[in-house]
Amino acid sequence: MINHNQSATFPKSSVNPHGRIVGQGNFTYRVNTQWAKLDTLKNPVENCHDLAIDSQGRIILVTDNTANNFIIFNKDGEFIDAWGTEYPGAHAIKVVNENGEDFIYVVDSGWIINKNWDGKSTEAWESPFNKVIAQSGFISKLTIDGKLIFTLGHPQTLDVYTPDMPFRPTDIAIAPNGDLYVTDGYGSDFVLQYDSQGRFIRCWGGHENKNDNLNLKNTHGIAIDLRIPNDPHLIISSRAEQSLKLFEMNGDYRSTIDVAGAYIGGPKFSKEHFFAPVCWSHIDNTNAQDSGFISIFNKENKVIANLGGTQPKYIDGKLQPMQSSWDVFQHCHGICIDDEDNLYVGQWNSHHALPYKLERL
């Protein structure tokens, strides 16, 4: 029995997107809104914040509903398992295989359910009566079945942050040598680098650099670009600037990818392309509600297709503003890609929507 109200997750068009064909050029997909077969009375979701695929091909969803932070599906959307109650601000997940064994890294942004909630406020972030309130976040490394290995907490313990600096991390990337790169996108907007044992190496970013290229604003996602042999580097979202910024592995700035109109998250790589979720479109000088989509970039870091968004257009080499097509998504937040090039999409603030599958055509 599925206890999910599909009508509550319709896009702004109010038309069910199930079966719709989306995309442009060589990147077209069929939208399957009914992929996740889940009894949400037994296994509820709040926000489908992120997804990852383990070495068995299972899709792992992380949600900030502490009845079950982790919900596991097979590729057909059949429910396998659910567990975890310790991550009220669960925001990002990565699965990494180390010496033949899978491990989970989960990023908790520090949001907790407010016992003084007024029953209606959900986005009054500074209100003492909002549904969630902020505390310090953390990162945990887990075995694939959820046993805790270690946790990284507020960097004041490392004498990197002062106690008054907020730490509310949003994403993590794991380098081939095991180094960890964490974006503090809801906190102080630094990127923090640790070694594989969680020992601090360096940080950069923040808001106070004279060179604005070095600043980050709502740095929501991060990934390591390994597409060019012997040239690993970082692609980091500066979501509030509608841009992705490229850095060397030691934090030196390389360049910026402008993504006009898109409040964009971090990349997910597939062969020579990467895909990035867009939570909002920039319309009428603000981030418009229910206006998310997914951008696809080629090996030159140019947008070549938008799923649920307008077709990308360049004039004299400059990307023109992009926006939602209003007919598929509300707020795209996390994605993963399987070995058949299908996409699995999680949404934030979208009436408890379950993940969609976008089936490659």
Side-chain angles (χ1 to χ4, degrees):
M1 178 180 178
I2 308 300
N3 293 295
H4 179 56
N5 184 359
Q6 291 285 353
S7 64
T9 64
F10 285 179
K12 195 170 182 178
S13 68
S14 298
V15 177
N16 189 343
H18 182 70
R20 181 179 293 275
I21 306 301
V22 299
Q24 298 96 29
N26 294 325
F27 289 89
T28 56
Y29 299 79
R30 179 179 292 106
V31 178
N32 183 352
T33 67
Q34 301 171 12
W35 170 79
K37 302 169 182 65
L38 189 70
D39 184 337
T40 54
L41 291 183
K42 293 180 179 178
N43 299 110
V45 300
E46 184 71 23
N47 297 290
C48 290
H49 264 136
D50 201 9
L51 304 106
I53 300 179
D54 68 10
S55 61
Q56 301 176 56
R58 305 181 307 170
I59 290 89
I60 305 176
L61 164 70
V62 65
T63 173
D64 46 2
N65 192 312
T66 54
N68 42 210
N69 289 132
F70 302 87
I71 302 176
I72 303 173
F73 302 90
N74 66 18
K75 285 172 63 174
D76 294 325
E78 301 288 346
F79 171 78
I80 297 175
D81 196 8
W83 49 270
T85 61
E86 302 93 346
Y87 303 95
H91 191 270
I93 180 174
K94 294 292 189 299
V95 175
V96 177
N97 191 275
E98 299 175 3
N99 300 316
E101 183 177 0
D102 282 349
F103 295 91
I104 291 173
Y105 289 88
V106 58
V107 179
D108 188 300
S109 294
W111 303 107
I112 59 172
I113 297 296
N114 183 7
K115 66 182 181 66
N116 297 315
W117 182 37
D118 61 13
K120 57 182 180 180
S121 301
T122 58
E123 296 183 52
W125 306 117
E126 304 302 323
S127 169
F129 306 108
N130 196 52
K131 184 176 183 179
V132 296
I133 55 176
Q135 61 178 10
S136 289
F138 58 95
I139 301 97
S140 293
K141 182 179 182 181
L142 313 172
T143 62
I144 195 64
D145 56 354
K147 296 182 179 66
L148 179 65
I149 298 173
F150 67 74
T151 297
L152 301 174
H154 196 293
Q156 68 174 308
T157 62
L158 306 170
D159 199 28
V160 177
Y161 280 27
T162 56
D164 61 302
M165 295 172 62
F167 179 64
R168 298 176 191 131
T170 49
D171 200 10
I172 187 170
I174 300 92
N177 70 351
D179 281 3
L180 312 175
Y181 294 84
V182 175
T183 53
D184 184 16
Y186 280 141
S188 298
D189 272 328
F190 286 95
V191 179
L192 298 102
Q193 181 184 355
Y194 304 83
D195 71 11
S196 62
Q197 302 302 308
R199 293 171 292 211
F200 177 75
I201 297 175
R202 64 171 63 87
C203 69
W204 69 89
H207 307 139
E208 306 298 329
N209 301 286
K210 292 182 179 179
N211 181 353
D212 193 54
N213 288 323
L214 305 179
N215 292 329
L216 295 166
K217 298 178 183 179
N218 189 208
T219 176
H220 213 68
I222 185 170
I224 299 168
D225 189 346
L226 300 173
R227 292 175 294 175
I228 303 173
N230 303 314
D231 184 29
H233 54 276
L234 298 159
I235 301 183
I236 303 173
S237 70
S238 188
R239 193 167 73 169
E241 294 183 289
Q242 301 164 50
S243 69
L244 297 164
K245 294 188 176 183
L246 279 62
F247 292 87
E248 305 290 355
M249 302 300 286
N250 65 359
D252 290 344
Y253 172 78
R254 286 175 63 138
S255 61
T256 294
I257 307 169
D258 291 318
V259 285
Y263 293 88
I264 199 162
K268 294 291 179 72
F269 288 93
S270 178
K271 304 180 180 67
E272 65 181 21
H273 299 90
F274 73 81
F275 299 66
V278 175
C279 197
W280 306 281
S281 304
H282 187 73
I283 300 172
D284 295 332
N285 296 313
T286 190
N287 47 348
Q289 293 301 303
D290 299 327
S291 62
F293 57 97
I294 297 169
S295 289
I296 304 174
F297 296 74
N298 65 11
K299 60 184 178 181
E300 287 80 32
N301 296 333
K302 301 292 187 183
V303 183
I304 56 173
N306 286 316
L307 311 181
T310 54
Q311 184 166 351
K313 181 179 181 180
Y314 287 82
I315 298 178
D316 296 330
K318 183 177 178 61
L319 179 64
Q320 302 305 294
M322 306 180 294
Q323 70 170 58
S324 171
S325 55
W326 305 108
D327 54 3
V328 184
F329 302 113
Q330 293 179 318
H331 302 106
C332 294
H333 194 276
I335 58 176
C336 66
I337 307 163
D338 69 19
D339 56 2
E340 296 176 326
D341 296 328
N342 302 305
L343 273 66
Y344 304 83
V345 184
Q347 298 187 76
W348 165 82
N349 195 20
S350 299
H351 305 284
H352 316 290
L354 297 178
Y356 291 176
K357 182 177 182 179
L358 271 56
E359 301 162 348
R360 182 75 182 268
L361 299 178

PDB file of all heavy atoms in Angstrom, residues 209-228:
ATOM      1  N   ASN A 209      37.404  37.699   1.549  1.00  0.00           N
ATOM      2  CA  ASN A 209      38.563  37.804   0.669  1.00  0.00           C
ATOM      3  C   ASN A 209      38.479  39.057  -0.196  1.00  0.00           C
ATOM      4  O   ASN A 209      37.406  39.422  -0.677  1.00  0.00           O
ATOM      5  CB  ASN A 209      38.633  36.568  -0.242  1.00  0.00           C
ATOM      6  CG  ASN A 209      38.740  35.274   0.544  1.00  0.00           C
ATOM      7  OD1 ASN A 209      39.781  34.962   1.100  1.00  0.00           O
ATOM      8  ND2 ASN A 209      37.648  34.527   0.599  1.00  0.00           N
ATOM      9  N   LYS A 210      39.618  39.718  -0.400  1.00  0.00           N
ATOM     10  CA  LYS A 210      39.647  40.892  -1.270  1.00  0.00           C
ATOM     11  C   LYS A 210      39.327  40.507  -2.709  1.00  0.00           C
ATOM     12  O   LYS A 210      38.689  41.266  -3.441  1.00  0.00           O
ATOM     13  CB  LYS A 210      41.010  41.575  -1.182  1.00  0.00           C
ATOM     14  CG  LYS A 210      41.288  42.226   0.167  1.00  0.00           C
ATOM     15  CD  LYS A 210      42.633  42.926   0.165  1.00  0.00           C
ATOM     16  CE  LYS A 210      42.900  43.599   1.509  1.00  0.00           C
ATOM     17  NZ  LYS A 210      44.223  44.274   1.558  1.00  0.00           N
ATOM     18  N   ASN A 211      39.795  39.344  -3.116  1.00  0.00           N
ATOM     19  CA  ASN A 211      39.471  38.807  -4.441  1.00  0.00           C
ATOM     20  C   ASN A 211      38.142  38.076  -4.330  1.00  0.00           C
ATOM     21  O   ASN A 211      38.056  37.009  -3.712  1.00  0.00           O
ATOM     22  CB  ASN A 211      40.578  37.871  -4.913  1.00  0.00           C
ATOM     23  CG  ASN A 211      40.308  37.286  -6.303  1.00  0.00           C
ATOM     24  OD1 ASN A 211      39.231  37.468  -6.867  1.00  0.00           O
ATOM     25  ND2 ASN A 211      41.293  36.586  -6.837  1.00  0.00           N
ATOM     26  N   ASP A 212      37.102  38.622  -4.951  1.00  0.00           N
ATOM     27  CA  ASP A 212      35.769  38.053  -4.805  1.00  0.00           C
ATOM     28  C   ASP A 212      35.670  36.649  -5.386  1.00  0.00           C
ATOM     29  O   ASP A 212      34.781  35.886  -5.010  1.00  0.00           O
ATOM     30  CB  ASP A 212      34.728  38.959  -5.457  1.00  0.00           C
ATOM     31  CG  ASP A 212      33.311  38.588  -5.056  1.00  0.00           C
ATOM     32  OD1 ASP A 212      33.033  38.518  -3.838  1.00  0.00           O
ATOM     33  OD2 ASP A 212      32.482  38.335  -5.949  1.00  0.00           O
ATOM     34  N   ASN A 213      36.571  36.289  -6.294  1.00  0.00           N
ATOM     35  CA  ASN A 213      36.558  34.932  -6.831  1.00  0.00           C
ATOM     36  C   ASN A 213      36.771  33.885  -5.745  1.00  0.00           C
ATOM     37  O   ASN A 213      36.354  32.732  -5.895  1.00  0.00           O
ATOM     38  CB  ASN A 213      37.647  34.780  -7.904  1.00  0.00           C
ATOM     39  CG  ASN A 213      37.314  35.503  -9.179  1.00  0.00           C
ATOM     40  OD1 ASN A 213      36.166  35.549  -9.603  1.00  0.00           O
ATOM     41  ND2 ASN A 213      38.329  36.095  -9.812  1.00  0.00           N
ATOM     42  N   LEU A 214      37.437  34.270  -4.670  1.00  0.00           N
ATOM     43  CA  LEU A 214      37.739  33.336  -3.588  1.00  0.00           C
ATOM     44  C   LEU A 214      36.594  33.197  -2.596  1.00  0.00           C
ATOM     45  O   LEU A 214      36.586  32.272  -1.780  1.00  0.00           O
ATOM     46  CB  LEU A 214      39.006  33.783  -2.847  1.00  0.00           C
ATOM     47  CG  LEU A 214      40.254  33.979  -3.703  1.00  0.00           C
ATOM     48  CD1 LEU A 214      41.421  34.455  -2.843  1.00  0.00           C
ATOM     49  CD2 LEU A 214      40.620  32.679  -4.421  1.00  0.00           C
ATOM     50  N   ASN A 215      35.632  34.120  -2.647  1.00  0.00           N
ATOM     51  CA  ASN A 215      34.503  34.065  -1.727  1.00  0.00           C
ATOM     52  C   ASN A 215      33.485  33.027  -2.194  1.00  0.00           C
ATOM     53  O   ASN A 215      33.355  32.747  -3.384  1.00  0.00           O
ATOM     54  CB  ASN A 215      33.824  35.429  -1.631  1.00  0.00           C
ATOM     55  CG  ASN A 215      34.700  36.461  -0.961  1.00  0.00           C
ATOM     56  OD1 ASN A 215      35.511  36.140  -0.094  1.00  0.00           O
ATOM     57  ND2 ASN A 215      34.557  37.712  -1.363  1.00  0.00           N
ATOM     58  N   LEU A 216      32.759  32.476  -1.238  1.00  0.00           N
ATOM     59  CA  LEU A 216      31.688  31.530  -1.521  1.00  0.00           C
ATOM     60  C   LEU A 216      30.432  31.983  -0.791  1.00  0.00           C
ATOM     61  O   LEU A 216      30.517  32.490   0.332  1.00  0.00           O
ATOM     62  CB  LEU A 216      32.081  30.119  -1.074  1.00  0.00           C
ATOM     63  CG  LEU A 216      33.265  29.497  -1.829  1.00  0.00           C
ATOM     64  CD1 LEU A 216      33.791  28.275  -1.093  1.00  0.00           C
ATOM     65  CD2 LEU A 216      32.858  29.119  -3.256  1.00  0.00           C
ATOM     66  N   LYS A 217      29.293  31.795  -1.439  1.00  0.00           N
ATOM     67  CA  LYS A 217      28.031  32.246  -0.863  1.00  0.00           C
ATOM     68  C   LYS A 217      27.009  31.117  -0.982  1.00  0.00           C
ATOM     69  O   LYS A 217      26.602  30.751  -2.081  1.00  0.00           O
ATOM     70  CB  LYS A 217      27.530  33.511  -1.582  1.00  0.00           C
ATOM     71  CG  LYS A 217      28.489  34.693  -1.449  1.00  0.00           C
ATOM     72  CD  LYS A 217      28.009  35.920  -2.206  1.00  0.00           C
ATOM     73  CE  LYS A 217      29.027  37.055  -2.097  1.00  0.00           C
ATOM     74  NZ  LYS A 217      28.581  38.263  -2.852  1.00  0.00           N
ATOM     75  N   ASN A 218      26.616  30.576   0.178  1.00  0.00           N
ATOM     76  CA  ASN A 218      25.733  29.414   0.225  1.00  0.00           C
ATOM     77  C   ASN A 218      26.337  28.285  -0.614  1.00  0.00           C
ATOM     78  O   ASN A 218      25.725  27.759  -1.537  1.00  0.00           O
ATOM     79  CB  ASN A 218      24.331  29.769  -0.249  1.00  0.00           C
ATOM     80  CG  ASN A 218      23.316  28.662  -0.026  1.00  0.00           C
ATOM     81  OD1 ASN A 218      22.350  28.560  -0.759  1.00  0.00           O
ATOM     82  ND2 ASN A 218      23.513  27.824   0.983  1.00  0.00           N
ATOM     83  N   THR A 219      27.575  27.902  -0.241  1.00  0.00           N
ATOM     84  CA  THR A 219      28.315  26.891  -0.996  1.00  0.00           C
ATOM     85  C   THR A 219      27.707  25.518  -0.731  1.00  0.00           C
ATOM     86  O   THR A 219      28.072  24.817   0.192  1.00  0.00           O
ATOM     87  CB  THR A 219      29.814  26.928  -0.667  1.00  0.00           C
ATOM     88  OG1 THR A 219      30.459  25.862  -1.354  1.00  0.00           O
ATOM     89  CG2 THR A 219      30.094  26.850   0.817  1.00  0.00           C
ATOM     90  N   HIS A 220      26.771  25.154  -1.592  1.00  0.00           N
ATOM     91  CA  HIS A 220      25.853  24.069  -1.270  1.00  0.00           C
ATOM     92  C   HIS A 220      26.366  22.685  -1.627  1.00  0.00           C
ATOM     93  O   HIS A 220      25.954  21.701  -1.011  1.00  0.00           O
ATOM     94  CB  HIS A 220      24.513  24.311  -1.969  1.00  0.00           C
ATOM     95  CG  HIS A 220      23.348  23.824  -1.190  1.00  0.00           C
ATOM     96  ND1 HIS A 220      22.945  24.393  -0.017  1.00  0.00           N
ATOM     97  CD2 HIS A 220      22.508  22.784  -1.396  1.00  0.00           C
ATOM     98  CE1 HIS A 220      21.907  23.758   0.457  1.00  0.00           C
ATOM     99  NE2 HIS A 220      21.613  22.764  -0.352  1.00  0.00           N
ATOM    100  N   GLY A 221      27.227  22.577  -2.627  1.00  0.00           N
ATOM    101  CA  GLY A 221      27.662  21.251  -3.056  1.00  0.00           C
ATOM    102  C   GLY A 221      29.089  21.258  -3.556  1.00  0.00           C
ATOM    103  O   GLY A 221      29.639  22.303  -3.918  1.00  0.00           O
ATOM    104  N   ILE A 222      29.693  20.069  -3.598  1.00  0.00           N
ATOM    105  CA  ILE A 222      31.095  19.936  -3.992  1.00  0.00           C
ATOM    106  C   ILE A 222      31.314  18.576  -4.625  1.00  0.00           C
ATOM    107  O   ILE A 222      30.678  17.589  -4.249  1.00  0.00           O
ATOM    108  CB  ILE A 222      32.027  20.122  -2.769  1.00  0.00           C
ATOM    109  CG1 ILE A 222      33.503  20.103  -3.174  1.00  0.00           C
ATOM    110  CG2 ILE A 222      31.737  19.085  -1.688  1.00  0.00           C
ATOM    111  CD1 ILE A 222      34.445  20.521  -2.050  1.00  0.00           C
ATOM    112  N   ALA A 223      32.201  18.527  -5.628  1.00  0.00           N
ATOM    113  CA  ALA A 223      32.580  17.259  -6.251  1.00  0.00           C
ATOM    114  C   ALA A 223      33.992  17.399  -6.802  1.00  0.00           C
ATOM    115  O   ALA A 223      34.484  18.517  -7.041  1.00  0.00           O
ATOM    116  CB  ALA A 223      31.611  16.873  -7.358  1.00  0.00           C
ATOM    117  N   ILE A 224      34.634  16.261  -7.017  1.00  0.00           N
ATOM    118  CA  ILE A 224      35.988  16.220  -7.563  1.00  0.00           C
ATOM    119  C   ILE A 224      35.906  15.811  -9.024  1.00  0.00           C
ATOM    120  O   ILE A 224      35.340  14.772  -9.359  1.00  0.00           O
ATOM    121  CB  ILE A 224      36.870  15.246  -6.761  1.00  0.00           C
ATOM    122  CG1 ILE A 224      36.959  15.713  -5.300  1.00  0.00           C
ATOM    123  CG2 ILE A 224      38.263  15.143  -7.378  1.00  0.00           C
ATOM    124  CD1 ILE A 224      37.548  14.699  -4.372  1.00  0.00           C
ATOM    125  N   ASP A 225      36.458  16.651  -9.886  1.00  0.00           N
ATOM    126  CA  ASP A 225      36.439  16.409 -11.324  1.00  0.00           C
ATOM    127  C   ASP A 225      37.677  15.604 -11.702  1.00  0.00           C
ATOM    128  O   ASP A 225      38.806  16.105 -11.630  1.00  0.00           O
ATOM    129  CB  ASP A 225      36.419  17.750 -12.065  1.00  0.00           C
ATOM    130  CG  ASP A 225      36.180  17.594 -13.564  1.00  0.00           C
ATOM    131  OD1 ASP A 225      36.297  16.453 -14.072  1.00  0.00           O
ATOM    132  OD2 ASP A 225      35.877  18.607 -14.219  1.00  0.00           O
ATOM    133  N   LEU A 226      37.456  14.346 -12.117  1.00  0.00           N
ATOM    134  CA  LEU A 226      38.554  13.453 -12.504  1.00  0.00           C
ATOM    135  C   LEU A 226      38.518  13.145 -13.994  1.00  0.00           C
ATOM    136  O   LEU A 226      39.143  12.186 -14.455  1.00  0.00           O
ATOM    137  CB  LEU A 226      38.460  12.149 -11.704  1.00  0.00           C
ATOM    138  CG  LEU A 226      38.539  12.275 -10.179  1.00  0.00           C
ATOM    139  CD1 LEU A 226      38.250  10.920  -9.519  1.00  0.00           C
ATOM    140  CD2 LEU A 226      39.903  12.789  -9.751  1.00  0.00           C
ATOM    141  N   ARG A 227      37.800  13.973 -14.775  1.00  0.00           N
ATOM    142  CA  ARG A 227      37.621  13.672 -16.187  1.00  0.00           C
ATOM    143  C   ARG A 227      38.900  13.850 -16.998  1.00  0.00           C
ATOM    144  O   ARG A 227      39.075  13.200 -18.033  1.00  0.00           O
ATOM    145  CB  ARG A 227      36.511  14.554 -16.770  1.00  0.00           C
ATOM    146  CG  ARG A 227      35.126  14.239 -16.239  1.00  0.00           C
ATOM    147  CD  ARG A 227      34.096  15.233 -16.764  1.00  0.00           C
ATOM    148  NE  ARG A 227      34.336  16.590 -16.263  1.00  0.00           N
ATOM    149  CZ  ARG A 227      33.651  17.645 -16.642  1.00  0.00           C
ATOM    150  NH1 ARG A 227      32.690  17.519 -17.546  1.00  0.00           N
ATOM    151  NH2 ARG A 227      33.925  18.843 -16.144  1.00  0.00           N
ATOM    152  N   ILE A 228      39.782  14.751 -16.572  1.00  0.00           N
ATOM    153  CA  ILE A 228      41.027  15.013 -17.299  1.00  0.00           C
ATOM    154  C   ILE A 228      42.151  14.257 -16.587  1.00  0.00           C
ATOM    155  O   ILE A 228      42.397  14.492 -15.398  1.00  0.00           O
ATOM    156  CB  ILE A 228      41.339  16.515 -17.340  1.00  0.00           C
ATOM    157  CG1 ILE A 228      40.182  17.282 -17.983  1.00  0.00           C
ATOM    158  CG2 ILE A 228      42.633  16.766 -18.095  1.00  0.00           C
ATOM    159  CD1 ILE A 228      40.341  18.790 -17.905  1.00  0.00           C
TER     160      ILE A 228
END
